[in-house]
Structures are given as C-alpha cells and as structure tokens.
Amino acid sequence: MNQLQQRIFNSAATTPFVFNVTPDARAFLLREGTDMKYGARHLKRAIERTIVHPLSNLVASDQVHGGDLLRIDFDPHQGCLDFIKEAEQMPIYAMMQMIDSAPSLPAAAATATWARVEPPRVVNAKKPSHQVAEASALQL
C-alpha cells in the first residue's frame, strides 16, 4: 500500500491525495490475492483490480481531487470495497504526515509554501508560422 501511495505522490499527472485502508479491507485483499497453491503471487493483481483501477476511475471522473483523504473499507453485504471521501483540500505536509514513509516530492512541490505549481500543458499545439520558418532555416 505504501508503494501505491508513493506512486500517487510521485505522479506528475495529478495532485496527490491520501488513502487509508481499513483492516477489514486489508483482510479482503488478502483473501482475494492469495491462493492455497500459489500463495500471495496474485496479491499485486488483486490490488490493481480492486484498488488501483477504481481509484483511477475516481480521478478520471473528477470525483477525487488533490488534497482529498479517502478511506477504503470492505462492505460485507456487497462483498466489495467502498471508497469514502473523508476530507478535502488537505495541505501536502498534512498528507505526508498521514502516510507511513513520506515519499520524495518532485522539486516543484517541495517549495517553502508547499504550493504545487504546474506549467500549462499544451496538447498538439502548432508553432506560429514564423517560428516554423526560423526552425527550418536553422536546420539547413
């Protein structure tokens, strides 16, 4: 779980959030990820299937934002994990105190004000025509 939390903190695509897994949810993961014949070889796949994929869907559907605190609990009636948002807009230093081993932050996030500033993202942008002409002239 710590490795997954560090993946979330080190991801450049999103602002980090924190999650806690209850003991009931951990027991569910162990049941799902262990086999009498193979042991815990399938635990990583169970974590991907039951935690990572739902978390990525929550982020993609804009239901989880940076600074959120999620509690992942097991619902015995439905036999699945529940993702409950317990807090919003937590500062990064508070989130780092909540996890067992603090991940290393990207240099941009490790500022004195703890503000995370990302450069604007431009997808499939074209250079203005005068810059294209200058670039082709330089290549000659």
Side-chain angles (χ1 to χ4, degrees), residues 118-140:
E118 294 184 11
R121 297 180 193 157
V122 180
V123 178
N124 296 329
K126 294 182 180 179
K127 291 183 179 180
S129 58
H130 69 278
Q131 286 182 348
V132 172
E134 289 172 7
S136 7
L138 292 176
Q139 292 176 355
L140 297 174

Side-chain angles (χ1 to χ4, degrees), residues 83-104:
F83 296 79
I84 301 130
K85 187 184 291 190
E86 292 187 327
E88 296 179 338
Q89 299 178 352
M90 293 177 59
I92 290 179
Y93 68 87
M95 289 187 294
M96 290 180 65
Q97 290 175 351
M98 296 184 72
I99 58 177
D100 293 338
S101 60
S104 59

Side-chain angles (χ1 to χ4, degrees), residues 9-134:
F9 262 82
N10 292 332
S11 171
T14 63
T15 307
F17 60 90
V18 179
F19 66 90
N20 291 323
V21 182
T22 64
D24 290 341
R26 287 178 189 266
F28 170 75
L29 287 171
L30 283 175
R31 285 191 305 273
E32 288 290 309
T34 55
D35 186 303
M36 293 301 286
K37 184 176 180 181
Y38 298 109
R41 289 183 183 178
H42 302 289
L43 186 58
K44 184 176 180 180
R45 284 186 219 128
I47 292 171
E48 289 286 325
R49 184 179 69 251
T50 59
I51 292 184
V52 174
H53 292 159
L55 281 177
S56 64
N57 287 337
L58 290 171
V59 170
S61 63
D62 214 23
Q63 296 178 51
V64 173
H65 302 94
D68 288 351
L69 169 61
L70 297 178
R71 179 172 41 98
I72 302 173
D73 198 6
F74 177 67
D75 183 358
H77 301 294
Q78 295 184 0
C80 63
L81 295 177
D82 286 334
F83 296 79
I84 301 130
K85 187 184 291 190
E86 292 187 327
E88 296 179 338
Q89 299 178 352
M90 293 177 59
I92 290 179
Y93 68 87
M95 289 187 294
M96 290 180 65
Q97 290 175 351
M98 296 184 72
I99 58 177
D100 293 338
S101 60
S104 59
L105 289 174
T111 61
T113 61
W114 294 95
R116 182 173 179 146
V117 179
E118 294 184 11
R121 297 180 193 157
V122 180
V123 178
N124 296 329
K126 294 182 180 179
K127 291 183 179 180
S129 58
H130 69 278
Q131 286 182 348
V132 172
E134 289 172 7

